[in-house]
Each structure stands twice: as structure tokens, then as C-alpha cells.
């Protein structure tokens, strides 16, 4: 409905209050007609076409820097390359091997390990291994074990799989393990207990066939400590 028709309709229903000719209401039809022409010349735009100012996107929170790995626990463990000199089954156990391990500098220790069924004596003898040498001595089947051989462990097809950690190529007896991007401590404690060691192995796994602690790779001065054939996530013990 045009402005002229709308106001004209309203005027026809309104009785003037004043009867004086000077005060009699007048409808300015020419003005209203001009308004109608202006309205017709400017069609209303749909709301969707009305430009709106987009609200600014909220600023992204700054990315948090990854937390630094606490390596202090790991560096308490004296892990090194050793060489198995002799491997035999003791008379009082069918599940254990009794070994003599060369730790370098003329030091030889007895090591008892439960690798029967995973490796043969021939596979172990004269082999370079990774061993922790400052773990509190244990007694297994009445035999003293003064060092611990390290391996990756994983369940495969419902069976336990045990794979020895291997030193880098060109390793020598006595080479020490530390973490990539870090340095060797100036000294190691004479001894750590089982609880301290459990805290270390809790965060030690194989990743891409490399031993790691909290995602940081084990290394010696010759390269990475590996566990060939072990799947990602295999624990280290």
C-alpha cells in the first residue's frame, strides 16, 4: 500500500475536531505522491544483502612449548657395553643362564639371566651386550647376579618376545650410555635400588627399533642403542 493510500484512508475515518476553516486539517497530496515515487524507485533489499561487519576471529592461544624431559633419574643408572665371556646353565635351574661379563678395565662380574628359551648359549657367548652395572645385586636361584643384561620385551601372538639391546657398530667394552642431546654425568652413584630402576624402565621403550627414555634416544659415543625386530612400544628391562 502506498503512503498516499494509507494516509488517505486514515483521513477518511478521522473526524476533524476543529470546525474553523483556518484550523481545518489539510492532506498534502502532492507531497505524499512524491514520497510514493521515491519509495517505488528504491526497492527494499533483502536482509541477506545488507552488508554486515564480521566479528573479528578470536586470537589463537600461543602454542605451549613441549615440557622438557627430566633426565635426572635416567642418568643415575650406569648403563654400558659389556661382553659375555662365558654362558652356562647352572645345575640348580633350567630357566637361567649363569654368565661372566667383561666390563672393561679388568673388571669381570657374574650375571644371571632368564634368557633360556629365547637365546642359546652359542648365541650369547662372546656377544656385546648392554648392561646396567650399578644396580643393587640380586640373588637368583641361589646365585649372585652383580649386573643386569638389558633387552626389549613384548607380547607377540600371546607369547613373550625377548630381544637383546644392541650396542652401536664399532662399540667397545665400557662405552657408556647417555641420552641424545644430553651429556654424560660427571659421576654415577655407586648403587641404585630396584625402585629407582623401576622408575627408569617405566618410561623406557623401543621406538623405531631404538631404545628411548621418555621419547629421548639412548646413545653412546658411537651412535644409537638399538633393538632390532622389536615393535614400537616394547618395554625395556
Amino acid at each position: 500500500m502506498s503512503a498516499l493510500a494509507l494516509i488517505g484512508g486514515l483521513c477518511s475515518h478521522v473526524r476533524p475536531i476543529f470546525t474553523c476553516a483556518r484550523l481545518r486539517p489539510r492532506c498534502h497530496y502532492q507531497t505524499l505522491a512524491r514520497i510514493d515515487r521515491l519509495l517505488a524507485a528504491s526497492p527494499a533489499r533483502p536482509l541477506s544483502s545488507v552488508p554486515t561487519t564480521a566479528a573479528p576471529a578470536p586470537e589463537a592461544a600461543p602454542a605451549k612449548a613441549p615440557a622438557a624431559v627430566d633426565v635426572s633419574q635416567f642418568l643415575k643408572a650406569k648403563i654400558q657395553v659389556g661382553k659375555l665371556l662365558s654362558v652356562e646353565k647352572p645345575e640348580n635351574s633350567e630357566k637361567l643362564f649363569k654368565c661372566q661379563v667383561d666390563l672393561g678395565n679388568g673388571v669381570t662380574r657374574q650375571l644371571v639371566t632368564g634368557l633360556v628359551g629365547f637365546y642359546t648359549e652359542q648365541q650369547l657367548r662372546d656377544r656385546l651386550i648392554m648392561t646396567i652395572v650399578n644396580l643393587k645385586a640380586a640373588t637368583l636361584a641361589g646365585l649372585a647376579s652383580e649386573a643386569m643384561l638389558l633387552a626389549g620385551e613384548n607380547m607377540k601372538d600371546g607369547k613373550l618376545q625377548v630381544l637383546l639391546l644392541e650396542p652401536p657398530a664399532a662399540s667397545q667394552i665400557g662405552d657408556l650410555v647417555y641420552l641424545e642431546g644430553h651429556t654424560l654425568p660427571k659421576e654415577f652413584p655407586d648403587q641404585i635400588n630396584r625402585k629407582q630402576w623401576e622408575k627408569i624402565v617405566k618410561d623406557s621403550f623401543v621406538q623405531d627399533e631404538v631404545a628411548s627414555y621418555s621419547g629421548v634416544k639412548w646413545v653412546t659415543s658411537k651412535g644409537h642403542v638399538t633393538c632390532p625386530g622389536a615393535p614400537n612400544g616394547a618395554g625395556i628391562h
Side-chain angles (χ1 to χ4, degrees), residues 2-14:
S2 68
L4 181 61
L6 176 61
I7 298 177
L10 290 175
C11 290
S12 65
H13 288 84
V14 177

Side-chain angles (χ1 to χ4, degrees), residues 81 128 130 166-172 219-226:
V81 177
L128 291 180
M130 304 307 304
E166 296 189 3
S171 289
Q172 296 180 339
V219 295
T220 72
S221 58
K222 309 297 194 308
H224 293 134
V225 177
T226 60

Side-chain angles (χ1 to χ4, degrees), residues 70-110:
D70 182 3
V71 301
S72 59
Q73 287 292 330
F74 183 88
L75 295 179
K76 293 177 182 178
K78 188 176 182 180
I79 301 171
Q80 67 164 76
V81 177
K83 183 178 181 179
L84 294 174
L85 300 177
S86 65
V87 182
E88 61 182 19
K89 288 184 179 179
E91 296 180 358
N92 57 343
S93 177
E94 297 180 353
K95 298 181 179 181
L96 300 174
F97 284 130
K98 182 177 72 171
C99 313
Q100 295 296 316
V101 57
D102 182 1
L103 300 177
N105 296 321
V107 178
T108 301
R109 292 187 187 177
Q110 181 167 281

